[in-house]
Amino acid sequence: MMNTGTAKLPVRSDRRQALIEAAFALIAERGFEGLRLRDVAAAAGIDHSSLHHHFATKQDLVDAVVGHTVQQ
């Protein structure tokens, strides 16, 4: 087995949760108007194009943040 020295990526649900938490933090800091998907992806440590594998639209991400907030 070859070790490439790269960190193992978290499973899909962990990445989804990381995106929700990153979006939550950015909304708290900048408000909804300042929420940018590229910034969310960067904060979660993924490429912005990968974000759409987890959330089809920005509204879907915002809805997930609201759901996360309600659960807290």
Side-chain angles (χ1 to χ4, degrees):
M1 180 178 263
M2 188 171 145
N3 184 357
T4 61
T6 59
K8 183 177 179 184
L9 290 174
V11 294
R12 183 174 171 93
S13 64
D14 290 344
R15 279 184 256 162
R16 182 178 169 87
Q17 187 62 34
L19 289 164
I20 291 169
E21 291 172 8
F24 177 84
L26 289 169
I27 291 169
E29 179 182 321
R30 303 177 186 169
F32 286 104
E33 297 80 19
L35 183 65
R36 303 289 179 265
L37 295 181
R38 285 181 183 266
D39 296 339
V40 172
I46 68 168
D47 184 76
H48 73 277
S49 62
S50 299
L51 185 142
H52 293 288
H53 291 286
H54 304 281
F55 299 99
T57 66
K58 186 176 185 178
Q59 186 60 50
D60 290 339
L61 176 58
V62 169
D63 292 344
V65 170
V66 170
H68 171 76
T69 304
V70 169
Q71 288 180 342
Q72 299 300 315

